Amino acid sequence: MIEITNIKASLKQGSTEESCLKACKREATRLLNIQSQDIAHIALHRKSIDARKKSNVHFILSARIELCDHAQELACVETLNESARKNIHLIDSDEPHFPQPDTIGRRPALRPVVVGAGCAGLFAALTLAHAGLEPLLIERGADATRRTRDVEHFNRTGELNESSNIQFGLGGAGTFSDGKLTTGTKNPLHRLILQTFVEAGAPREILWDAKPHIGSDILPAVVTDIVAQIENLGGEVCFNTQMVDIARTTAGAISSITISSQDADGQKHEEVIATSQLILACGHSARDVFALLSQRDFSLQRKTFAMGVRIEHLQCDIDRAQYGSAAGHPALGAAPYKLVAHTKNGRSLFSFCMCPGGQVVAAASEAHGVVTNGASLHARDGANANAALLVNINPQDLPGDDPLAGIDLQRSCERRAFEIGGGAYRAPAQLVGDFMAHRPSTGAATVAPTYPRGVTWTEIDPCLPAHVAETLRLGIPALGRKLRGYDHPDAALTAIESRSSSPVTIMRDSSCRALGAEGLYPCGEGAGYAGGIMSAATDGIRCAQALIADLR
């Protein structure tokens, strides 16, 4: 197979998959000196926007091509001059796939258990199911349909279901935060994950878009389909089921877990599930799980995480700043951004989970705490752009040596945000201009906050760690120099963004095995080994592969 990269296409040429393929095919025949009928198959592999020159915004495409005569592929590439070879490569056409039952050596007497149905847990369970291991997947929250109702009910009434919300339920925190599939890591498994999403109902363009996303309106159906795949392969998925204890043998190996579930009448039931293989993909907000692990002497360590605020601008202003006169072109859509500023206090301010045309969401999972996050629907057609503006909290910033100290800081800031927001899960908000001037805000300007529970205009400093507030003030003007208008005084800040990542690492070795606990595989973002949907799904597959390898 031949891969051709760095194919330039105008906005019109890159507007659809069909037009992109035409541009790629035309360039392939020119560069390889072949006829169009020599091409047996061509597929769009990557599409990105080049907006470095605002007067010439265009697309950069990559395509993968199979010729009718495979021997001709080698000959075509070998005859290229050195300049052309920079963008033309022979690649292996083999792609990763899920393991099959015949890859298992010793089938375990007890089925493996996966805790948590976020992307890490879903892909771990799906991998085990493909291998014929019939895993049990438990999730403390609800299925997608019920979870959607619970989130909408909370947005309307302020009545929080602490087990089914933006953080907990099928798909994890990613389900209602846009479904962004961008990642800073490279792994052959990414293609398998994207293909799995597409087969489950995600838009095909995620296979080639350089910044793919599914959308919070589509992702619930996608993860529901993945659950059906797990069940069709012999796995079992239980919602509204929470792990409340873990038991080990005297040698330290996993022997069972205790689960608590609730029936239709609201009655709680506990059950002990015997298992010797446990993939723990609990998510970054499962604070009770971290407390349980600490009580049971599992190996935990505090890690760097981040806290800050959500910032909102008018999406049309971001579009103009990014695309110039091309802003608004239907082929471009709403413009994203990714920014970082290194400040004179030795800290850094960076954007995270940027949601073009989206809204700020109410992401609390504990009573009397305000948490913000961001989301976009697939169309990304909302009036505002929003993103987290975050500052790292390093282990040395925390008092004492308790590995759960980061959780204590998160919780105290969230409760303070609840208080200064006035209760009812209203969020404290402040205009950028007022924040920079150390004065409370009294109302919105040109940017209307989208947080669904409503905001209280005030000062946000009281709910932020001091160094976070300081770094925000130092960094926002620097970000304005990188993206025109970013520091506009009318931009709105909503607090607090405190759940961008886990403050705890569940220690494991290079083969994904927990330290001192045979049969336990800490997994995903909550365990400290991922930072988004793609990396979490990748880690889920890796942990399942490690479990399967141990069975051999």
Side-chain angles (χ1 to χ4, degrees), residues 35 128 131 138 155 239-240 242 246 249 332 351 421 479 545:
Q35 302 298 314
L128 297 176
I138 67 169
N155 288 341
F239 296 105
N240 305 303
Q242 184 174 351
I246 304 178
T249 66
L332 291 173
S351 65
L479 298 183
Q545 290 173 333

Side-chain angles (χ1 to χ4, degrees), residues 121-136:
L122 279 176
F123 276 85
L126 183 62
T127 304
L128 297 176
H130 272 286
L133 291 174
E134 302 179 352
L136 170 64

Side-chain angles (χ1 to χ4, degrees), residues 12-85:
K12 181 179 180 180
Q13 290 171 328
S15 59
T16 66
E17 179 184 5
E18 182 181 5
S19 63
C20 286
L21 287 173
K22 285 182 179 179
C24 292
K25 194 169 188 177
R26 184 167 54 248
E27 190 69 356
T29 57
R30 184 185 71 83
L31 291 170
L32 300 175
N33 194 27
I34 59 175
Q35 302 298 314
S36 60
Q37 58 265 31
D38 294 329
I39 298 175
H41 179 72
I42 182 169
L44 185 61
H45 184 67
R46 186 175 174 85
K47 174 183 176 181
S48 60
I49 299 170
D50 186 341
R52 289 172 294 179
K53 291 185 178 180
K54 301 296 183 279
S55 60
N56 182 28
V57 178
H58 59 278
F59 292 109
I60 301 293
L61 310 177
S62 296
R64 291 187 171 181
I65 300 164
E66 292 183 28
L67 301 185
C68 297
D69 180 1
H70 290 298
Q72 187 184 5
E73 293 179 0
L74 178 60
C76 284
V77 174
E78 284 184 337
T79 58
L80 294 171
N81 61 44
E82 186 176 344
S83 176
R85 286 190 182 187

